[in-house]
Amino acid sequence: HVQLVESGGGSVQAGGSRRLSCVVSGSTYSRACMGWFRQAPGKERERVARLDTVDRSAYYADSVKGRFTISQDNAKDTLYLQMSSLKPEDTAMYYCAADPRPCHEIDPTNAYNHWGQGTQVTVS
């Protein structure tokens, strides 16, 4: 059984930084592709970043490129999203996701098998 638990959300001033964490439990085969998504009220869910843990390729949404960094600590079974130069439009619920398939198979649909419960980030 795979579980993803996010943490690190909170309130931050514009221009500040925040690091989100996602602890993953369960088989390592379940997390070949891992990603961060966000959803603001009244808006569609947006893929922020994703990391293929096998070939190490990363993707970033244009809206966060250069400001956010996705990384993984295998020893801690944790996925991170380092966010800097935060803007009010970054305010959203942030979710991490994992899937056993390689990212190139998931990218067209973002149909990840496993999702966390989310952590709220509010930028003012």
Side-chain angles (χ1 to χ4, degrees):
H1 178 65
V2 178
Q3 268 194 316
L4 289 75
V5 180
E6 303 97 333
S7 63
S11 296
V12 61
Q13 289 191 335
S17 298
R18 200 85 180 181
R19 188 177 76 164
L20 304 182
S21 300
C22 174
V23 178
V24 186
S25 61
S27 170
T28 55
Y29 296 104
S30 65
R31 58 188 89 165
C33 185
M34 299 197 69
W36 285 98
F37 290 76
R38 68 185 180 187
Q39 188 166 22
K43 293 189 177 181
E44 291 189 355
R45 186 178 63 192
E46 174 189 22
R47 183 179 57 183
V48 174
R50 68 93 171 130
L51 175 68
D52 191 301
T53 64
V54 177
D55 67 19
R56 312 307 296 176
S57 62
Y59 158 89
Y60 295 94
D62 288 342
S63 57
V64 307
K65 205 170 290 184
R67 300 188 298 121
F68 290 12
T69 302
I70 188 171
S71 63
Q72 181 193 31
D73 184 333
N74 283 327
K76 296 181 180 179
D77 289 329
T78 303
L79 182 74
Y80 298 104
L81 184 69
Q82 178 67 48
M83 307 183 293
S84 60
S85 301
L86 284 162
K87 305 174 182 180
E89 50 264 43
D90 294 319
T91 295
M93 185 72 81
Y94 283 73
Y95 301 89
C96 71
D99 197 279
R101 295 167 291 170
C103 285
H104 67 83
E105 292 187 17
I106 304 168
D107 284 346
T109 61
N110 291 319
Y112 288 73
N113 271 301
H114 310 291
W115 292 84
Q117 83 290 347
T119 186
Q120 176 70 35
V121 174
T122 302
V123 185
S124 60

